[in-house]
Structures are given as structure tokens and as C-alpha cells.
Amino acid sequence: MAFFWCTEALPLAVTALFPVLLFPMMGIMDSTLVCSQYLKDTNMLFIGGLLVAISVEKWNLHKRIALRVLLIVGVKPAFLLLGFMIVTAFLSMWISNTATTAMMIPIAQAVLEQLYTSENKMEEHKSENFDNNAEKKESPPNGMVNLSDPEGSMKQSNPNGTINIAFEMQEKFPVEILTKEKNGTIVIEHEDDTLKEEKQNRRLQKHLKLCKGMSLSVCYSASIGGIATLTGTTPNLVMKGQMDELFPQNNNVINFASWFGFSFPTMIVLLALSWIWLQIMFLGVKFRKNFGCGGTSEQKEKEKRAFQVISTEHKKLGPMSFAEISVLVLFILLVLLWFSRDPGFMPGWATISFNKNGKDNVTDATVAIFVSLMMFLFPSELPSLKLVNRENEGKMPKVYVPPPLLDWKTVNQKMPWNIVILLGGGFALAKGSEESGLSIWLGDKLTPLQSIPPAAIVLVLCLLVAIFTECTSNVATTTLFLPILASMAKAIEMNPLYVMLPCTLAASLAFMLPVATPPNAIAFSYGQLRVIDMAKAGFLLNILGVLTITLAINSWGYYMFDLGSFPTWANVTTVP
């Protein structure tokens, strides 16, 4: 299965079905036990989270949020880059990284195209002004200036009493003209086509460089933002499912609130480092210019035009509809219920009302499905007594029934069912490794790592996962590595979270290749990027990501999850 996932010889979801056939035939597990792995609590959490995300997409709430934030941050180069990164990262925390990138890239391209068009128009306008001014100036015939006239207006004396022609020419005429001296006269000429073409090429190269930086900022921010929440990206759910599968008595150590508490600060640090690095690479190190300090009137005019593009797009959305407000309210309700279900530092509503005798009867999946069902029940318009078919005489009028916020046809079109099967295949593979004794064998083989400091183990493993995830699916990477890492941690008596948590985040550091993750492929498809551009930008970002995750797990993560001790739940792999 690892070989098929890495080479994608078969679709990932098809490979994930192998355990259903092979485990019963090999006598590892019976068919009922294998099949039960394919729709566990984690899968339902994934489905519920996606149903809410599909509702947000259907009613364009994500686009409204994106444009609103861009109007707030403005269009100065550095702030524009930051605005797109913040919006993309925030949206990818809740909806799929792929959908976020697919929405944000066209918006970024439209804004950049307007900046480029404005710059060209400003240059044309500048040239036209020169032509008009030149016609109004009194000058000798044929554009010749007589240098022999001591009273001529083209003279300028310096302190030494010599004539400074260049100074006077700079004062009288724009820099776009050329000057030549012929037989004691100055010939005033417009810039030739070659010089104009060179300037146009420089503007084009500058525009393409900014396009590359903006495209990369969107796809990178989508991957970075996905690590912040438990439902943000599929590897996070794989980790949650593997923990519950391999360590069933883990006391729900990984839930929405605990994951957010650890991963959100990590995401903020990595996003800030990415912003600085992309600025240096694509905007240069002139930070005053990047932040719009001391900009020229032309630059301000370009920024004004780009701002108008964003404002126009925002106005096209019109006022918030009843459906958008309803989806927003339900979305906020979902987040609040997730955070307050079992926050850890105090009893949550689920602990008080539903979870009895130490069992988690209500989980994050319960909350996600509850809010998802509300999407199917709530109307998309205010209920009214409006009648239809009133004009048809002889027929009973029908009361208008508004459609719900979410319908199954939309869900069926946008739900990635292949990921649900892929998740299940990973859980089945992990269960098979446990039942067959493979996990114990692998753990015993990795016991020599006990002599290495834990922080060094984490650093090496994160680098390994970050390299591996460039060549294969993020989900496949976590599915393959996490059971092995859990066995290793148990064998050397290390807290499993110490290696499983950072390696899961490292699986999202797929920044170097277009094929590494769908957001990269979408950004690459727009044509401005080359593989070498993505590789150069992504290489350092991968290093920064690994260092940031290593710092996080050895600082606030160390105390959040008490990683310095080997927990009692890690000794138990089956339910007593």
C-alpha cells in the first residue's frame, strides 16, 4: 500500500480498500472488524466539518470575508501580500485548502493585473503630457538650440563661470527625452522605441515577479493555515484517529481545543516568517518602499486603482443575504461548541451534561453533525406567506417554501468522498499493524534511538517527514508514518505525542513542488511560476517550518501535553 500510495499507480482511495480484501484472506482480521474502521468517529468529524464548509462556499461567505479584509489592510505591496496571506490562512482553517486557494488566486491575479495596467496607463499619460508641453514651448525651428547665443535661455552658469547644459536640459525637459550635440547645437529627441521597449520589459518583469510572490503566498498560506485547527486539513484528522485507535485510553488528549491551543500559535509564527521571506525574495529588501512609505504620486494612483478593483468586487456582492447571515451564525455556533465542549482547564458542556462514567459520549464529531443538520433544516430565505401559481385559475395556490441552506445535490458535487475512504484505509492499516504484531516489531527495532536526546529525534523525524511529503500525498505520509512513530515512542518510553504531533504538522510543509499538494498545483497552473521558483522559495520555507514546529513542541507544547513523562495510557493498546 505504501508503494502504491507513493507512486499513485492506483487512485489513493482504491489503494485504501486493500485491507478489506487482504486482511481477512491473510487471517489478520475478520471482515467485520476491518470494515468498521472505515467510518469511525474521526471520519464523521471530517464529513461534518466539510458539510459546514460547503455551506460557506455555496453562499459566497468566504469571498465576502476575503474582500472585506483586503479592504481593511489596503494595497501597499507588503500589506497586500500580508492581507492575502491572512485571509487565505484564516479561511483554510475552516474550509479545504484546495477550495481556499482556488478562490483566492483569481482575486489576487485581478488586483495585480489592475496594478500593472494602471502603471502602463500612467506611463502613457506621462508621455502624452510631454508631447503637449513640448508643442507649447517656444523653440528655434527644427528643434535646434543655438549654443552661440550668450543671451539664450538655455544657459546656466555654475560658480566657475562655465556653461552647464545638462543641468538646464534636466530642468526644462523630462528624463524621457534624449539630447545630442551637433555642430554647436543641441538636438532634442524623444526616446526611441528600443528604450521604450526596455522600460516596458522592466515593468513586465517586475509585474511577473510580484505575481509569482502573490501566487506562492496564497498556496503556502493555505497549507500553513490548515494546521491551526483539527479539521483544517486531513492529516490532522488522521493523527486524531490514529491516537484514538492505537491508544484508546488517551483521555481525549487531542480534541479541537487542545489542538488549537498548540497549533494556532505555531501557525502564526510560521505565517509571519513566510511573509518576511516572500517579501525579501519577491519584493526586495527595501522595506520602506514595500510598506508604501514616501511613495510617488504614480504609485499612489496605482494603489488607488487596485483598491477600486477590490471595492468594486465587494460591492457586487451586495448586502448580506438572510442565507449568508444564517450560515455565519451557525458557523460561529459550531466553533463555540467545539471550544467549550471539553476545554481542559474547566468542565465543558459535554462533560457536565452528556459524558458519564469517564466515557466521551459526545465528541467533536457530534457537534459537527449537529450543525450540519441545521444547515439542511434552516431556510435560505425568510419564511413568508408568498403564494405561487396564483395566476393559474382553477388551481389551488401553493405557499412558497424557500430552499434550505444546504441541499444534497450540492453536497454530492463538492464532497470529496475519496478522502473518507482514504482515511478509513489508513485506520484499517494501523489496526492491522497492531493486530499482526508489526507495530511491536517495528518499535523494538527502533529502540537504539533511546540514546538520542528527544529534541534531536523530533528534529530529524520532522525533516524526514517534510522531505517525504514533497513526493507523496500528505494524508498517505501521515498514514504511513504515525503507526511506526507510535510504536517507536512506546518502545523507548517516550510520550507518543512528542513525535506524532510535530510530524503531523510537518506533513503539511509541502512547499517545494507543484505536485506536492493541490494548492501548489493550482498556483502553478496560472502560468507565471516555474518549478525552480517554487523550489527556491519552498526550500528555505521547509527549513523554517521544521524549526518552528520543533520550537513549538519543545516550548509551549511540552507543558501543554506534559511531554516530559511517559503517560499511563500509552501502555494500553486495546480496550480492556
Side-chain angles (χ1 to χ4, degrees):
M1 288 177 70
F3 177 77
F4 273 55
W5 273 333
C6 293
T7 59
E8 295 192 39
L10 289 175
L12 299 181
V14 176
T15 303
L17 293 172
F18 279 11
V20 178
L21 172 67
L22 298 179
F23 282 2
M25 293 176 64
M26 293 176 175
I28 297 171
M29 298 163 62
D30 65 79
S31 183
T32 302
L33 184 57
V34 176
C35 293
S36 66
Q37 307 300 312
Y38 282 80
L39 206 59
K40 298 171 71 69
D41 179 79
T42 307
N43 296 75
M44 295 308 297
L45 174 60
F46 175 73
I47 292 172
L50 273 179
L51 288 172
V52 176
I54 290 170
S55 298
V56 171
E57 288 182 52
K58 178 182 177 182
W59 297 105
N60 266 339
L61 183 60
H62 59 326
K63 188 173 183 179
R64 185 181 294 276
I65 294 171
L67 293 173
R68 190 64 193 166
V69 172
L70 290 175
L71 287 174
I72 293 172
V73 300
V75 292
K76 299 185 187 308
F79 289 123
L80 187 65
L81 194 70
L82 179 63
F84 273 100
M85 293 183 75
I86 289 175
V87 171
T88 307
F90 173 77
L91 292 175
S92 66
M93 289 167 57
W94 313 106
I95 65 179
S96 79
N97 302 349
T98 306
T100 303
T101 307
M103 181 200 71
M104 292 300 297
I105 286 281
I107 297 175
Q109 295 295 325
V111 172
L112 293 175
E113 189 63 35
Q114 185 59 43
L115 281 171
Y116 179 61
T117 304
S118 300
E119 188 171 4
N120 284 338
K121 286 182 178 179
M122 291 298 295
E123 289 296 331
E124 293 173 5
H125 183 65
K126 190 176 179 182
S127 179
E128 289 173 2
N129 283 345
F130 167 72
D131 291 337
N132 295 334
N133 292 335
E135 290 176 1
K136 295 177 183 178
K137 287 184 179 290
E138 296 180 1
S139 58
N142 302 323
M144 311 294 286
V145 179
N146 192 349
L147 292 179
S148 62
D149 180 10
E151 304 297 326
S153 62
M154 295 298 292
K155 292 182 181 178
Q156 173 70 33
S157 298
N158 66 10
N160 299 326
T162 58
I163 303 298
N164 190 341
I165 298 297
F167 179 86
E168 191 65 42
M169 293 300 297
Q170 187 177 2
E171 288 288 318
K172 295 284 184 183
F173 297 93
V175 294
E176 281 78 2
I177 61 174
L178 300 174
T179 61
K180 292 182 182 178
E181 184 174 347
K182 278 187 181 181
N183 302 324
T185 60
I186 293 292
V187 180
I188 304 170
E189 297 179 353
H190 289 81
E191 62 180 350
D192 58 15
D193 293 339
T194 304
L195 190 57
K196 285 183 178 179
E197 188 176 346
E198 287 179 1
K199 286 189 174 184
Q200 177 68 18
N201 286 336
R202 283 198 296 270
R203 285 197 299 271
L204 181 60
Q205 292 302 318
K206 181 182 175 183
H207 170 68
L208 290 177
K209 198 170 185 180
L210 187 57
C211 284
K212 290 178 182 179
M214 196 66 73
S215 298
L216 288 176
S217 73
V218 171
C219 66
Y220 289 169
S221 301
S223 296
I224 293 170
I227 70 175
T229 60
L230 189 57
T231 57
T233 186
T234 315
N236 304 354
L237 291 168
V238 173
M239 192 269 178
K240 163 70 173 169
Q242 299 282 21
M243 279 293 296
D244 293 342
E245 179 65 38
L246 300 172
F247 307 105
Q249 295 185 354
N250 65 60
N251 301 320
N252 198 30
V253 65
I254 293 295
N255 55 43
F256 192 90
S258 64
W259 184 282
F260 187 86
F262 170 74
S263 299
F264 184 73
T266 309
M267 184 268 283
I268 295 295
V269 174
L270 186 51
L271 197 67
L273 292 174
S274 305
W275 176 51
I276 295 171
W277 167 235
L278 290 174
Q279 264 194 88
I280 293 172
M281 188 166 183
F282 294 101
L283 297 179
V285 293
K286 296 179 180 178
F287 293 108
R288 281 178 57 84
K289 183 179 178 182
N290 295 343
F291 283 93
C293 300
T296 62
S297 59
E298 289 88 350
Q299 182 66 28
K300 291 178 181 177
E301 181 65 24
K302 287 191 297 179
E303 291 171 0
K304 183 179 178 181
R305 289 174 182 268
F307 186 85
Q308 288 173 351
V309 172
I310 300 174
S311 180
T312 302
E313 288 296 318
H314 186 262
K315 288 177 181 177
K316 284 180 182 178
L317 296 176
M320 286 190 73
S321 64
F322 177 78
E324 286 181 90
I325 296 172
S326 300
V327 170
L328 180 61
V329 170
L330 289 172
F331 174 74
I332 294 172
L333 175 64
L334 172 68
V335 176
L336 292 176
L337 289 176
W338 266 341
F339 274 113
S340 59
R341 183 186 67 83
D342 186 15
F345 57 87
M346 60 176 286
W349 58 266
T351 308
I352 297 172
S353 305
F354 300 101
N355 298 342
K356 305 296 182 183
N357 302 321
K359 291 184 65 177
D360 287 336
N361 295 324
V362 171
T363 66
D364 289 332
T366 314
V367 176
I369 295 300
F370 165 70
V371 176
S372 301
L373 291 175
M374 292 297 101
M375 296 288 184
F376 287 96
L377 295 174
F378 268 64
S380 58
E381 299 177 25
L382 277 172
S384 65
L385 297 177
K386 183 169 63 174
L387 301 179
V388 294
N389 293 334
R390 180 182 291 174
E391 68 279 1
N392 296 334
E393 296 182 2
K395 292 186 178 180
M396 289 292 293
K398 297 180 180 178
V399 178
Y400 174 70
V401 179
L405 293 172
L406 191 60
D407 59 89
W408 190 250
K409 182 180 179 181
T410 304
V411 172
N412 209 27
Q413 290 173 345
K414 296 190 175 183
M415 176 68 74
W417 298 109
N418 59 320
I419 302 296
V420 178
I421 299 174
L422 183 58
L423 276 172
F427 299 151
L429 190 61
K431 186 68 175 177
S433 299
E434 177 193 332
E435 293 286 332
S436 65
L438 177 63
S439 296
I440 298 173
W441 180 82
L442 285 171
D444 292 339
K445 296 298 180 184
L446 294 171
T447 49
L449 290 173
Q450 198 165 10
S451 59
I452 303 175
I457 296 175
V458 171
L459 179 61
V460 171
L461 289 175
C462 283
L463 279 172
L464 177 63
V465 171
I467 293 170
F468 196 81
T469 196
E470 295 288 354
C471 306
T472 188
S473 159
N474 302 355
V475 183
T477 301
T478 47
T479 302
L480 294 172
F481 273 90
L482 290 183
I484 299 173
L485 297 177
S487 302
M488 180 206 73
K490 187 179 176 185
I492 63 178
E493 295 190 349
M494 176 194 289
N495 193 318
L497 284 175
Y498 205 163
V499 287
M500 294 176 72
L501 191 53
C503 286
T504 301
L505 300 191
S508 293
L509 303 180
F511 300 136
M512 288 182 62
L513 297 175
V515 296
T517 187
N520 290 11
I522 292 172
F524 189 79
S525 68
Y526 272 77
Q528 296 97 347
L529 286 168
R530 296 176 301 163
V531 175
I532 188 66
D533 297 322
M534 190 171 284
K536 286 198 302 188
F539 176 75
L540 183 62
L541 206 53
N542 271 10
I543 302 298
L544 291 174
V546 169
L547 294 177
T548 301
I549 292 169
T550 306
L551 170 67
I553 200 66
N554 287 291
S555 51
W556 61 85
Y558 193 88
Y559 298 101
M560 276 185 64
F561 299 107
D562 191 21
L563 300 178
S565 60
F566 185 62
T568 55
W569 50 260
N571 281 317
V572 182
T573 56
T574 56
V575 180

